Amino acid sequence: MRPPYIRIARVVKPFGTSGFFLIEATGVSTLSPVVPGVEVCIVPPLNDVPRWCPVEEIKHEGDTFAKMKLAGVETRSDVQELLGHELLVKETAEFHQLAQSGDSASQGGQNDLPYASVDLIGLAVIDKKRGELGTIGGVSSNGAHALWEIVSDEQSFLFPAVDAYIEVIDHEKGEAHIALPKGLLDAEAR
C-alpha cells in the first residue's frame, strides 16, 4: 500500500533568477521541518521536472513562508512552471502532527472540495467501459470542482472529479471507479 502524503505548501512566486521561489504553508501549521534533503512531490506533475525533488536550499521566513530551491529547478523560467502547484511530503509522525495542529485556514483550499484530497493520489482509475485508465497522479481545482490528473504510460489527462462521473472510491483496493464523460478522451487525442 502506498504511503499517505501531506500537502505542505503552495508555490507562490519566483524569487530571483537562480531557481528560488516563495512557498506558503497550506496544509501544515509550520514549514520548519522542511530542510535540505527532504523530498517533495510536485502536484500536478510537470513534464520537465522530476515528480519527486529533494530540497537543495530553504530559507525560512517565519512559520508559514519560506524561500526554497529544488534540485532540477535552475532558472526563473523553471519556477514559472511551478507557480500555483502544491508540494507534498510523505507522511511522517512529525508532519502528521503539524497537519493535525494546523488551523482551519491552513487546512483550506482544494481539500474543501469533494474528491480533492491528496489521499487519492496513486489510486488506480477504472472506467466502467474502457477499463483501467491509469492512476491519479495529482489533484487540483478549477475553483468549482476537483480535477484529477490521470496518468499512464500512454496518456495523461485531466478528469473532472464530480459526483456525476465518480461511481466508487475504494481505498482498501486502491481503486477509483468512474464513468468517463463522453468525448473526454477523444477531445484529448486531438
Side-chain angles (χ1 to χ4, degrees), residues 43-86:
V43 176
L46 297 167
N47 290 333
D48 299 331
V49 178
R51 180 69 183 263
W52 286 91
C53 295
V55 174
E56 276 188 5
E57 293 183 52
I58 187 162
K59 299 172 185 175
H60 295 279
E61 298 188 350
D63 284 337
T64 58
F65 288 94
K67 292 174 187 157
M68 176 183 278
K69 172 134 181 20
L70 296 176
V73 177
E74 304 299 329
T75 66
R76 188 176 184 95
S77 177
D78 293 343
V79 172
Q80 289 294 120
E81 292 184 44
L82 289 174
L83 294 182
H85 284 65
E86 299 284 333

Side-chain angles (χ1 to χ4, degrees), residues 16 41 46 64 73 77 94 96 106 110 173:
C41 178
L46 297 167
T64 58
V73 177
S77 177
E94 183 176 24
H96 181 75
S106 72
Q110 69 186 32
K173 289 184 178 178

Side-chain angles (χ1 to χ4, degrees), residues 1 6-7 18 20 23 33 45 48 51 53 57-58 63 69 107 110 117 120 127 129 132 144 158-159 175 188-189:
M1 179 155 197
I6 292 179
R7 179 172 53 116
S18 60
F20 275 90
I23 60 171
D48 299 331
R51 180 69 183 263
C53 295
E57 293 183 52
I58 187 162
D63 284 337
K69 172 134 181 20
Q107 296 292 334
Q110 69 186 32
S117 171
L120 300 170
D127 177 61
K129 291 184 180 175
E132 188 164 342
L158 292 177
F159 168 76
E175 298 174 346
E188 291 289 330

Side-chain angles (χ1 to χ4, degrees), residues 8 38 70 105 180:
I8 59 163
V38 168
L70 296 176
L180 199 63

